[in-house]
Structure formats: C-alpha cells, structure tokens
Amino acid sequence: MSEIEIPKHVAIIMDGNGRWAKERGLNRTAGHEEGAKTVRKITSYCSDIGIKYLTLYAFSTENWERPKLEVEFLMKLLDRYLKKELSVYLENNIKFKAIGDISRFSKTLQNTIYETQNKTASCTGLTQVLALNYGSKNEIIRAIKKLNELNLEVTEENFETCLDTAGMGDVDILIRTSGEVRLSNYLLWQNAYAEMFFTQTYWPDFNESELDDILSDFSNRERRFGAI
Ligand code: IPE
Ligand code: IPE
Ligand code: MG
C-alpha cells in the first residue's frame, strides 16, 4: 500500500448485524457476536497500518428502544469483549477510550470500561474509541453545559475541548456498512468535512480488503475544505 494516504481518524457505523443473522436463520444476537469478531479484526488492521483513531459506533442513545433481551445481550457482550481484549490492547500498544454517556450503564459495566481505559492509558499506538450510549445531540448538549460550567468563551476551539472526542480532531473517513445511508446521530460536529463511504456489506462480513479499497479511494479524493 505504498501510495496510500493513511488517514488520522476513521469512524465506522457498524451496521447490519441483525440482518446478517436473519439471512442465516440465526438469532440477532449471533450477528452481534460475529460483529464483535469484525471489531477485533478491523482494529488490529488499523493499528498495523498506522491509523491514529478508530471510532466505532457500538450502542446509540436510541438503541435502548430495542427489546430488553437484545439490549441486555449487547451489554454482556461488551463487558465480555473488553475483558477478553485487554491483553490484545496491551500487546499491540492500543489505547481504549469510550465516548458517550456511560453513566446509564450498570456499575459493573462502567467499572470494566474505566478499568480498560486506565490500564491502556499509556499505550501510544492506535486509539480504539467505542461510542457507547452515544448520541451526537446528547454529546453536544453535554459539551455546552461543560463550556458554561467552565465559564469559557464560546469558540469552536473551546467547544471542541468539551466534546467527548476532545483532542482527536475531525473525522477523515466515515464508513457505514449495510446499505443504510444516514448518520443516525453519529459525530455530527466531527463529520463536518469527512469523506463518506457507504457499503452494502453487513458489518460481520466487512474485512481488511474492503477497507483497503476505501483507503485507496480516499487517497484519490480531492479534499478542498471550501477552497478551490
Ligand atoms: C448494528 O447492527 C449493531 C448495533 C446497532 C448494536 P444492527 O443490530 O443495527 O443490525 P440491523 O441493522 O438490524 O441489521
Ligand atoms: C446505528 O445503527 C447505531 C449503531 C451502529 C450502534 P442503527 O441500526 O441503530 O441505526 P438506524 O436505526 O438504522 O438509524
Ligand atoms: Mg441497524
């Protein structure tokens, strides 16, 4: 991949787990289980090729509307995933960070999240960011409240320091799998100048080679940022 420009910040709306499972006559939970394997695979690949931030949409503020059993399964899967992943993060110098309002999660899950963040805090390679109980509108309101509390002047720079993504910069590439073409309340501020890619592939089937194709397409796009 010699002529490929490696972006700093890649964000993914991991969608299609349920449909992947349904097509196979499986329960939706099997799709989430398989999706977690794709998270591991794509994180490791992004780490290898030198991407700095990989921000993955794992649970939205709207996903609480799903059946209780599915929500409970997702919470347990997340807890299990983070515990199992810790050694992988440390071996690969990957830092873990959560964005979103995790205060709505159980104390047990919150502890696992904080523990994983703390134990990987000194890693300097890729930062894997999981968006958990994340909604962009919710994040923006929390940021405004923080800005007020700190009595900071309302500027773009100050506002960004109050976002959950403080210090990470804007998204370079936004990918959504499964054929849906919408943002679903994801990183509305940070996607201001993102290059967007929508693929038909369901998240459990997404792979390194498809990401390569996207990166190569990204390298050929001219980002003008309003200039000519
Ligand atoms: C994305 O897959 C995972 C989460 C939102 C947690 P979905 O569960 O939305 O899968 P589809 O869209 O129903 O196929
Ligand atoms: C967005 O997917 C949220 C995550 C991927 C976590 P959804 O499947 O929840 O979004 P909609 O409902 O299709 O917009
Ligand atoms: Mg979906």
Side-chain angles (χ1 to χ4, degrees), residues 14-19 28 32 58 63 66 70 74:
M14 312 183 287
D15 200 10
N17 292 352
R19 280 163 285 167
R28 291 177 57 84
H32 296 314
N63 287 148
R66 295 187 178 202
E70 181 169 345
L74 286 167

Side-chain angles (χ1 to χ4, degrees), residues 5 39 41 49 56 74 78 83 87 110 126 136 177 225-226:
E5 179 193 344
V39 172
K41 187 171 68 183
I49 63 175
L56 303 170
L74 286 167
L78 178 61
K83 283 180 175 143
S87 61
Q110 288 185 47
L126 173 82
S136 196
T177 57
F225 298 99

Side-chain angles (χ1 to χ4, degrees), residues 30-88:
H32 296 314
E33 201 71 66
E34 201 61 26
K37 292 184 194 161
T38 310
V39 172
R40 176 171 300 128
K41 187 171 68 183
I42 294 299
T43 300
S44 152
Y45 188 62
C46 287
S47 159
D48 288 348
I49 63 175
I51 286 168
K52 190 63 198 149
Y53 297 101
L54 175 66
T55 306
L56 303 170
Y57 208 0
F59 193 85
S60 76
T61 46
E62 289 76 27
N63 287 148
W64 296 103
E65 300 304 321
R66 295 187 178 202
K68 194 164 169 264
L69 277 178
E70 181 169 345
V71 171
E72 276 172 8
F73 179 86
L74 286 167
M75 298 299 139
K76 281 190 193 131
L77 175 64
L78 178 61
D79 195 71
R80 185 155 46 85
Y81 177 83
L82 289 177
K83 283 180 175 143
K84 196 168 166 210
E85 222 51 18
L86 181 62
S87 61
V88 179

Side-chain angles (χ1 to χ4, degrees), residues 169-189:
D170 280 352
V171 172
D172 296 305
I173 293 183
L174 173 79
I175 301 168
R176 183 169 189 149
T177 57
S178 89
E180 309 296 353
V181 185
R182 55 176 169 261
L183 286 175
S184 300
N185 203 9
Y186 197 42
L187 304 170
L188 302 180
W189 173 281

Side-chain angles (χ1 to χ4, degrees), residues 138-162:
N138 171 282
E139 179 195 29
I140 287 169
I141 296 298
R142 285 186 290 105
I144 293 170
K145 287 182 179 163
K146 205 165 155 190
L147 201 66
N148 278 337
E149 275 164 25
L150 296 171
N151 214 0
L152 289 171
E153 190 194 341
V154 183
T155 64
E156 289 188 14
E157 289 73 20
N158 285 341
F159 180 73
E160 275 167 5
T161 65
C162 294

